Amino acid sequence: MARLRPHARVLVWPTLLLFALAGGTGYFFGNMAEPWQNAAVLGGAIALAILGWLLPLAAWLTKRYTITTRRIIFRHGFFVRTRQELLHSRGYDVSVRQNWVQAGFHSGTVLINSGLEHPLVLTDVPNVDLVQSTLHDLMEKASTVMSSRRQEQSAPSAESAFWGRR
């Protein structure tokens, strides 16, 4: 079983914003003429920290991809949780999309098209080449297991439905 999240690179800008907020708040807090101005600086910094750092962090933490030997599970959502599952035995098409930044970090977006209306999109997955090859191997293994089960079920039995043993 593999549990993945989008690449942590998406948290770079929110973290830089948090450091800038801490530096700006440390510089301006206590240097204002009126006490209400100091409270406004502190309140604004807290509000910006929640909007600019805590919400992106929570969004990143709530998005999870789980790949098991039987299925792919995609969970996301903060207030409304969504869970999508796709069985390997159903068969699907896996394609990878990378831009130049993602290629530098060996990450990318995995598109899984199972013939349904909307493909399953795993955004900014780390080690995208490994994920793609693993999905291909799991799908191939599931299809050989399913075909062997179908052959076992379709084999003629020693008993007939009407006459008993042949």
Side-chain angles (χ1 to χ4, degrees):
M1 179 183 329
R3 292 186 180 172
L4 305 168
R5 293 189 193 281
H7 202 280
R9 180 182 66 251
V10 298
L11 297 175
V12 168
W13 289 111
T15 303
L16 290 176
L17 174 71
L18 184 68
F19 289 152
L21 272 171
T25 304
Y27 179 76
F28 287 110
F29 186 73
N31 289 335
M32 298 295 179
E34 298 290 325
W36 68 269
Q37 291 173 334
N38 287 326
V41 165
L42 188 60
I46 290 172
L48 281 175
I50 289 172
L51 290 175
W53 183 75
L54 193 59
L55 287 179
L57 176 67
W60 180 76
L61 286 173
T62 59
K63 193 177 287 189
R64 185 179 340 149
Y65 317 122
T66 306
I67 301 172
T68 67
T69 56
R70 296 180 137 197
R71 66 181 63 107
I72 303 167
I73 305 166
F74 175 45
R75 295 180 189 155
H76 64 92
F78 191 69
F79 295 113
V80 178
R81 307 257 328 151
T82 304
R83 177 183 166 131
Q84 293 176 293
E85 290 187 17
L86 180 63
L87 295 173
H88 297 303
S89 61
R90 289 194 61 191
Y92 47 81
D93 178 40
V94 179
S95 57
V96 172
R97 188 173 44 200
Q98 283 182 316
N99 60 27
W100 63 275
V101 174
Q102 289 174 330
F105 286 98
H106 302 289
S107 66
T109 300
V110 178
L111 300 163
I112 303 170
N113 190 359
S114 63
L116 299 175
E117 191 172 313
H118 301 288
L120 183 64
V121 180
L122 310 179
T123 56
D124 212 11
V125 176
N127 296 323
V128 71
D129 296 329
L130 178 63
V131 170
Q132 183 184 23
S133 65
T134 302
L135 288 175
H136 281 298
D137 291 343
L138 288 171
M139 185 177 58
E140 185 177 323
K141 182 180 176 186
S143 67
T144 57
V145 168
M146 289 302 290
S147 65
S148 66
R149 284 184 187 166
R150 286 187 189 126
Q151 286 177 353
E152 288 174 4
Q153 290 174 353
S154 66
S157 64
E159 292 187 15
S160 174
F162 296 109
W163 303 104
R165 294 201 51 77
R166 289 188 190 185

